[in-house]
Amino acid sequence: MSPRITILAFGTRGDVAPMTGLAAGLRHHLGATVAIAAQQPYEQMITDAGFDFRLLPRDTEADTHSSEYGQAMVDGRRLKPSKEAIVGMREDLVGVGEAMARAADDADLVLCGGPVGSLLGSHVAEALGRPSAALVLQPSYVTGDFAPPALGTRSYGRIGNRTAWRLAGAGEKLFAPLIDDLRTTLGLPPQSLRSRRRRLEREWTQLCGFSTHVVPAPGDWPEHVHVTGYWWSAEQHAPEVPAGLEDFLADGPPPVYIGLGSTAISDGERVSEIVRDALHSSGQRGVIHSGWAHLDGGDDENLFTIGDVEHSWLLPQMAAAVHHCGAGTTAATLRAGLPTVALPGIMDQPFWAQRLHRLGCAPIPVPRTGVTVPVLTESISSVIGDDRYRRSAASIAEKLASEDGTTAACRIIETLLSAPTSPTHA
């Protein structure tokens, strides 16, 4: 009988898309029946890939815009967290854990994707009595090599970095009332967050969907934390291409890709104007991804504005990329061998921007909040004009092409299906 696996994928498109690739691998290698639980905007992406869609509540984009603190954080404005903001952060996840439990009710194995999946999914798996594992797209385990990616790029030394990870982990206390309610609803006994976090750190299998060529696996990570390589999203045989895009691409030299992905900034119009002027000043054509920032190339014949287009089809046709350095977009540009202008904003974006620079694929990152037309013009001209960036990007792309992160992950997941189920596996 084929194993039934549910992947809990709460988050943005970049959080969900790699899970379709992993699901395809599980189906191919293990004969698994895979369901992916996500929010409504990703239903078609999941069903088009041939997987059962299970609905999770909320709308991350809408929740960001409706939250004063959330919007300020995304925009890069300083706003002291208030009691109301903390309550709002918890309320944004009310009902999510319960929906995850319903989505995974028939699963033999629960895979918990991303920060929210890891936060809530382990309790769901425990209640269901199923084995589980964490799926992460950025480093998420304590190490002395670097501080938590969400805290920026500064290193505090090995002891300081490990301390920073511990302090960041203590942030789960903000969600203690939510977790207590979830455990009560699921029929689980109360449990100390601290003791549970320590136990999961000791025993819970974690699969990291990135490459050691980009982030070498820290030597102080335990054996149950695996850096498998990237999980590329399931690809459509005939990707949907906006009308006129192919003609635009054929009508001149390769353009520059511009995109901020699922970054719901409130000043997209201002950033759009900077992008248009910088592309004009640098003499480059551009393909501009609207995304959650609602970027717009306007009526310039040298610019083409798009919605979501499959990265594996689009990016190899670009000359370079200007992007926010989310984990998914960073991976896609590396796979395509594209030199990058990094415009990081929040969370793990500065971490990936720094990685691109260290790899030689990008000039010094330009913080999105400080970008100006002259600075962006110079960066675009540099990344196009200096062939060293393209050579470095091509070298990384060649290394990534030799990896098969999905197969590596599937081999590890196969061992979980035969593992004894206990609270330490949940």
Side-chain angles (χ1 to χ4, degrees):
M1 184 176 178
S2 66
R4 295 167 298 180
I5 299 174
T6 296
I7 299 176
L8 307 176
F10 185 94
T12 67
R13 184 180 183 86
D15 297 312
V16 179
M19 303 307 164
T20 66
L22 180 58
L26 293 169
R27 181 171 57 193
H28 174 73
H29 293 290
L30 307 185
T33 299
V34 186
I36 301 177
Q39 293 164 289
Q40 191 280 325
Y42 313 111
E43 179 175 4
Q44 184 175 349
M45 176 173 64
I46 291 167
T47 56
D48 283 352
F51 301 105
D52 186 16
F53 170 77
R54 308 280 173 88
L55 179 65
L56 296 181
R58 312 297 302 187
D59 183 319
T60 303
E61 181 181 6
D63 288 344
T64 300
H65 288 308
S66 64
S67 166
E68 180 184 7
Y69 178 74
Q71 188 65 71
M73 183 176 69
V74 170
D75 288 344
R77 293 183 281 117
R78 294 186 180 275
L79 187 65
K80 186 177 180 179
S82 63
K83 181 179 180 181
E84 292 75 16
I86 293 171
V87 170
M89 291 166 65
R90 287 200 295 263
E91 288 180 345
D92 285 346
L93 296 181
V94 168
V96 174
E98 290 80 358
M100 288 178 171
R102 292 190 294 272
D105 181 61
D106 61 347
D108 298 310
L109 172 70
V110 182
L111 298 177
C112 307
V116 175
S118 297
L119 177 71
L120 304 178
S122 62
H123 303 278
V124 167
E126 180 184 348
L128 295 174
R130 308 290 196 273
S132 67
L135 306 176
V136 300
L137 302 177
Q138 50 278 119
S140 302
Y141 194 92
V142 178
T143 178
D145 286 11
F146 43 78
L151 297 186
T153 59
R154 179 182 174 185
S155 176
Y156 302 92
R158 297 200 64 81
I159 295 175
N161 287 339
R162 294 183 68 86
T163 300
W165 279 97
R166 299 296 182 193
L167 293 174
E172 276 190 22
K173 290 182 179 179
L174 297 176
F175 299 97
L178 177 80
I179 292 172
D180 289 344
D181 289 346
L182 174 62
R183 291 185 66 85
T184 298
T185 300
L186 297 178
L188 295 171
Q191 188 177 60
S192 160
L193 283 178
R194 182 179 181 183
S195 64
R196 183 175 184 82
R197 186 172 67 248
R198 286 184 173 178
R199 185 171 62 179
L200 292 178
E201 285 181 358
R202 287 197 308 269
E203 303 178 22
W204 201 30
T205 298
Q206 185 180 106
L207 305 180
C208 304
F210 50 82
S211 172
T212 56
H213 294 299
V214 181
V215 183
D220 55 358
W221 277 1
E223 291 183 355
H224 59 273
V225 178
H226 308 269
V227 181
T228 65
Y230 287 108
W231 314 320
W232 306 117
S233 61
E235 298 178 0
Q236 301 176 35
H237 294 296
E240 294 185 14
V241 179
L245 177 56
E246 290 183 286
D247 290 339
F248 175 81
L249 295 175
D251 197 34
V256 175
Y257 172 84
I258 311 280
L260 299 181
S262 300
T263 306
I265 58 175
S266 61
D267 61 343
E269 186 175 342
R270 180 188 70 85
V271 175
S272 295
E273 185 176 351
I274 291 173
V275 165
R276 291 193 297 264
D277 289 348
L279 287 170
H280 177 74
S281 298
S282 60
Q284 299 298 320
R285 304 197 310 148
V287 170
I288 299 176
H289 176 225
S290 179
W292 287 10
H294 302 292
L295 300 183
D296 186 3
D299 57 3
D300 189 323
E301 64 180 11
N302 288 313
L303 306 178
F304 196 101
T305 304
I306 60 172
D308 291 329
V309 176
E310 197 168 296
H311 278 154
S312 61
W313 178 86
L314 177 66
L315 294 182
Q317 303 180 70
M318 301 294 105
V322 178
H323 63 88
H324 62 304
C325 296
T329 305
T330 297
T333 54
L334 286 171
R335 185 189 193 189
L338 274 187
T340 290
V341 174
L343 292 183
I346 63 168
M347 302 304 289
D348 59 332
Q349 295 171 12
F351 174 86
W352 294 117
Q354 183 189 60
R355 290 284 153 174
L356 289 173
H357 178 55
R358 286 182 175 178
L359 290 169
C361 303
I364 296 174
V366 179
R368 189 197 68 236
T369 53
V371 67
T372 62
V373 173
V375 168
L376 185 55
T377 299
E378 181 180 355
S379 295
I380 291 174
S381 297
S382 174
V383 84
I384 293 290
D386 190 337
D387 198 49
R388 289 178 298 176
Y389 296 116
R390 178 166 292 281
R391 289 198 302 269
S392 295
S395 174
I396 295 296
E398 184 177 358
K399 293 175 182 177
L400 296 184
S402 68
E403 291 185 332
D404 187 349
T406 298
T407 297
C410 289
R411 292 194 185 108
I412 297 164
I413 291 169
E414 185 174 20
T415 67
L416 300 177
L417 287 163
S418 58
T421 302
S422 72
T424 59
H425 285 86

